Amino acid sequence: MDKLEYDTAEFRTLCKNISQDAINIMKEYLDNEYEIVGLLGINESPSCSIRGVKGIFMEELITLATKEQIILNTIDVPGEYFDGGDNEEFIKELREFIKN
């Protein structure tokens, strides 16, 4: 399915509800002095992409995070990623992401 097929009122409501749960958990962690490293998406996913065209779920989650003043660094797993594949470049980028 593509983003337009996912972009329904019902799916957006579901994503908003899940996002609110995630934000509540993030707030609890932050209130207890934990650090949130960031938000991991899946590139080109109609639901979970962050960079480029954002997926539906990520649109809702990032909107709520911004409203709650939760700053999240973001990174996308490449769409072509698979375990055991040639992922050295992404793994290097992910390690740097985690360090920062």
Side-chain angles (χ1 to χ4, degrees):
M1 290 177 54
D2 64 20
K3 184 176 178 179
L4 290 175
E5 292 171 301
Y6 276 100
D7 199 0
T8 65
E10 295 83 10
F11 189 67
R12 281 216 179 254
T13 298
L14 174 65
C15 290
K16 285 178 188 177
N17 292 337
I18 295 169
S19 295
Q20 187 61 62
D21 289 342
I23 293 297
N24 291 341
I25 293 167
M26 288 180 208
K27 287 168 59 177
E28 184 72 24
Y29 276 112
L30 292 169
D31 288 346
N32 286 285
E33 300 182 21
Y34 285 86
E35 177 185 351
I36 298 172
V37 174
L39 184 60
L40 184 68
I42 302 170
N43 193 32
E44 299 178 16
S45 165
S47 181
C48 294
S49 185
I50 297 173
R51 296 180 178 171
V53 176
K54 285 185 181 58
I56 305 293
F57 174 69
M58 290 302 179
E59 286 177 352
E60 299 300 334
L61 182 58
I62 292 169
T63 296
L64 283 174
T66 301
K67 181 179 175 183
E68 294 291 335
Q69 299 179 338
I70 298 174
I71 298 168
L72 297 169
N73 295 322
T74 61
I75 188 170
D76 266 346
V77 175
E80 65 277 359
Y81 180 92
F82 66 93
D83 287 339
D86 182 18
N87 304 307
E88 290 179 35
E89 186 176 326
F90 171 68
I91 298 299
K92 182 179 176 183
E93 182 182 359
L94 182 60
R95 285 187 176 131
E96 287 300 313
F97 176 80
I98 291 169
K99 286 181 187 177
N100 297 324

